[in-house]
Amino acid sequence: MPAGSCAIIKVDKNQKGGPAMSSRNKGPYAQHFHLTPEQGLLNDPNGLCYFQGYYHIFYQYNPYATDHSTKYWGHVRTKDFVTYEQLPVALKSDDWFDKNGVYSGGAIVHEDTLYLFYTGNTKDEAGRRTSYQCIATSTDGLHFTKLGPVTEQLPDYTGHVRDPKVWYDATVQGWWMLLGAQRLDKTGDTVAFFSKDLKDWDYRGSIFQFDQPLGYMWECPDMVFLTDEVTGQDKAVFIFSPQGVDPIGDSYHNIFNTTYLVGTWDSQTGRFLPDNADFADMKECDRGFEYYAPQSFVAPDGRVIQYSWMGITWPDQEAAIPTRQDDWIHHLTIPRQLRLVDGKLYQTPIAELEGLAGASQSLAWTSADFRLDLAGRAQRVQVDFETLADWELFLDDNVTVKYQAAQGRLSLARFNWLTGLQEWRHMQLEEELKHLDLWLDASSLEVFVNGGQVVASLRYFAKEPLTRLEGKASADLQAKLVATQLEAHQYI
Ligand code: FRU
């Protein structure tokens, strides 16, 4: 669809809390179990937390149009990740310090108060950007009071300093705030502030001890603390979205990519020490097409849960996304639990999503071609491999998942909705393929390999939206395939 022909929705900007939301977005590509805006645009997940009995999920939100012209914080909450309450817009860009956008940030809970941290984006008449790191608080999780900016401007950085992620560090009894930043020489960085009281924030500089340039800007930094399930070591995993990183081999083929480094957080100095001293061990979090700007939080039971935006793409491709005809664009990933296994970040769908499971069908997959109708367009397909061989799975008229046994190489392809061309992502598996877990949702696919060892996600827009799965394999394959229909999220 040409960009100019999409319907831009118009809503009264003064309406309290933005437009009313109903349960679903519209059209053939409407998502069943991914969080979407019912109308308008969604991007990064924000302010993830557990507060007064609810998981709160905020997100970058333009309720007025399917473009990036307005940035508010949209808001839903849930007790079980199956039933959601759509809440009014939490933060609007209606103050001098956030007049051009309430940009991304995180949340913490302290003394029964919810603190939201965000970047107030401002631009002057000449288009020059000044960013303010701001706080808003709430005592009920529904109404928010803005407290305004809390940090000073940084002389060694441009106006691109944003996306505060805050956590409590028991070792030094205070809170760290990480910010994605761009140095004056136009290279990317992450800087830290520290506070003992959430009011006064001391600047502590770059979190890195080495000065190796990487990209021109880093967005949405996140520090995740996990115990490695193999070595038993407590580690810090730094997850960030650097812009301007060139492709290397099979990696970094999207406009922007999200990466991680495993290391140690030094609470005394506010430095992150990667295990291998530099960026050499950096890895892509998701090997698919649009995953970007993830954020995590710690659930009351200790699980680290992450959402990400699905997602970022080139502006001309974004303008051509067919859901714009139905007045909505983009969604989040399903919530994924993060684990560290032998130095590698694993991501698995959180257990609560089992609550969406409906009827299932299964088959013994061998060399015979098969074709399954996956009714309902929301399905989980799990394959357990006993004997490996080359195989291919085809979804609708659009997506291919392919495995080359001799090379141990998994590939994913879809037809680009703008160019009409097939495009591929390739993943060299480090271990033998044992299990594949596909989550299909009308116009998106999330792939989890070997219990989350490798993860890849994509958007796709089938011409004939049926959700039909076909499989082909060479002689030796022995596998069991189970397809389970998934219920839609309920909204109240
Ligand atoms: C990442 C990002 C953030 C920014 C937000 C604005 O997608 O560019 O850096 O805060 O989106 O919507």
Side-chain angles (χ1 to χ4, degrees):
M1 186 192 61
S5 71
C6 67
I8 303 283
I9 56 168
K10 295 226 167 23
V11 179
D12 174 10
K13 282 213 181 199
N14 298 317
Q15 191 182 329
K16 198 169 184 313
M21 303 284 286
S22 71
S23 60
R24 298 284 143 71
N25 44 36
K26 301 185 290 280
Y29 306 115
Q31 297 284 295
H32 298 79
F33 57 89
H34 284 86
L35 287 174
T36 55
E38 194 224 7
Q39 56 183 29
L41 176 142
L42 165 154
N43 57 295
D44 315 350
N46 292 155
L48 304 178
C49 63
Y50 184 80
F51 181 60
Q52 294 177 351
Y54 290 93
Y55 297 98
H56 288 260
I57 300 136
F58 302 84
Y59 46 88
Q60 287 286 282
Y61 180 37
N62 181 359
Y64 308 116
T66 52
D67 62 26
H68 294 270
S69 53
T70 297
K71 295 287 179 178
Y72 291 171
W73 276 33
H75 187 193
V76 294
R77 67 179 184 183
T78 179
K79 283 178 184 284
D80 57 8
F81 296 96
V82 171
T83 301
Y84 288 83
E85 250 177 284
Q86 183 65 60
L87 297 171
V89 165
L91 299 172
K92 286 184 172 185
S93 51
D94 49 11
D95 279 289
W96 67 266
F97 47 79
D98 56 23
K99 69 184 176 65
N100 297 104
V102 180
Y103 273 17
S104 287
I108 56 128
V109 174
H110 177 56
E111 292 178 346
D112 213 30
T113 297
L114 174 56
Y115 288 75
L116 303 183
F117 300 85
Y118 69 92
T119 299
N121 183 48
T122 68
K123 283 184 181 169
D124 66 15
E125 301 78 47
R128 277 182 302 253
R129 185 190 294 260
T130 305
S131 301
Y132 297 93
Q133 314 314 327
C134 304
I135 297 186
T137 58
S138 174
T139 51
D140 63 3
L142 298 170
H143 305 91
F144 297 87
T145 307
K146 287 186 189 171
L147 306 183
V150 293
T151 61
E152 78 249 36
Q153 299 299 320
L154 306 180
D156 299 333
Y157 292 83
T158 71
H160 289 280
V161 178
R162 58 176 169 267
D163 309 333
K165 182 73 197 312
V166 175
W167 78 93
Y168 182 70
D169 187 339
T171 313
V172 281
Q173 295 179 5
W175 288 267
W176 290 103
M177 176 195 289
L178 297 188
L179 293 165
Q182 181 182 58
R183 297 190 192 95
L184 288 177
D185 68 1
K186 304 281 165 70
T187 57
D189 199 2
T190 289
V191 297
F193 281 82
F194 180 74
S195 176
K196 281 276 189 192
D197 58 10
L198 294 169
K199 290 190 191 89
D200 292 322
W201 291 87
D202 294 335
Y203 180 53
R204 297 293 173 85
S206 171
I207 66 164
F208 285 94
Q209 285 179 324
F210 58 91
D211 194 14
Q212 183 183 319
L214 177 81
Y216 60 81
M217 167 67 193
W218 299 358
E219 297 189 312
C220 300
D222 195 3
M223 196 65 71
V224 176
F225 296 92
L226 293 165
T227 303
D228 191 309
E229 293 175 18
V230 171
T231 66
Q233 288 178 320
D234 291 333
K235 303 299 293 187
V237 183
F238 178 57
I239 299 177
F240 61 118
S241 296
Q243 300 184 316
V245 174
D246 293 329
I248 308 175
D250 290 336
S251 297
Y252 315 130
H253 287 276
N254 301 330
I255 177 173
F256 304 129
N257 306 277
T258 297
T259 59
Y260 75 92
L261 283 164
V262 179
T264 312
W265 175 252
D266 185 339
S267 300
Q268 304 303 332
T269 60
R271 298 287 177 271
F272 174 72
L273 314 168
D275 282 348
N276 268 357
D278 57 18
F279 296 122
D281 282 349
M282 195 170 88
K283 292 196 178 63
E284 247 181 304
C285 292
D286 180 295
R287 308 294 303 278
F289 290 84
E290 278 94 22
Y291 170 102
Y292 193 66
Q295 183 177 108
S296 69
F297 73 105
V298 184
D301 60 7
R303 283 179 302 169
V304 178
I305 297 177
Q306 182 197 67
Y307 279 92
S308 190
W309 174 31
M310 279 177 84
I312 202 154
T313 188
W314 284 265
D316 56 344
Q317 282 182 33
E318 182 178 64
I321 287 186
T323 64
R324 296 187 73 202
Q325 282 171 333
D326 299 307
D327 298 337
W328 68 277
I329 185 167
H330 301 315
H331 55 78
L332 299 182
T333 58
I334 54 176
R336 301 174 178 181
Q337 184 182 349
L338 302 184
R339 294 157 52 218
L340 192 65
V341 182
D342 210 10
K344 292 195 194 69
L345 192 63
Y346 276 46
Q347 303 172 52
T348 43
I350 60 167
E352 285 87 337
L353 299 181
E354 309 270 351
L356 297 170
S360 65
Q361 46 184 333
S362 62
L363 62 89
W365 184 16
T366 59
S367 57
D369 293 357
F370 76 83
R371 182 173 175 155
L372 272 187
D373 281 333
L374 301 182
R377 299 190 54 66
Q379 293 266 348
R380 179 180 188 186
V381 177
Q382 291 170 278
V383 189
D384 281 306
F385 295 94
E386 268 162 45
T387 311
L388 282 172
D390 292 349
W391 55 259
E392 282 179 285
L393 287 172
F394 305 101
L395 176 63
D396 290 334
D397 50 15
N398 200 301
V399 173
T400 305
V401 188
K402 169 175 161 173
Y403 182 68
Q404 292 163 281
Q407 294 89 336
R409 196 164 163 81
L410 187 76
S411 301
L412 198 58
R414 60 131 187 245
F415 285 93
N416 183 295
W417 56 89
L418 178 64
T419 63
L421 300 175
Q422 195 177 38
E423 49 192 2
W424 289 88
R425 294 289 180 269
H426 302 286
M427 291 149 261
Q428 191 60 50
L429 302 188
E430 287 175 15
E431 288 179 23
E432 184 171 283
L433 175 64
K434 293 195 191 76
H435 187 72
L436 191 69
D437 189 6
L438 310 177
W439 292 68
L440 319 173
D441 193 355
S443 58
S444 68
L445 170 64
E446 294 185 57
V447 180
F448 299 86
V449 183
N450 288 349
Q453 205 170 63
V454 174
V455 180
S457 56
L458 59 80
R459 305 296 315 275
Y460 76 101
F461 301 100
K463 288 201 190 71
E464 205 194 322
L466 291 172
T467 313
R468 183 183 56 226
L469 186 72
E470 292 175 52
K472 256 196 204 171
S474 61
D476 302 329
L477 187 75
Q478 280 186 39
K480 184 177 177 215
L481 184 147
V482 180
T484 308
Q485 189 160 352
L486 298 175
E487 304 296 333
H489 279 165
Q490 295 302 312
Y491 286 81
I492 51 174

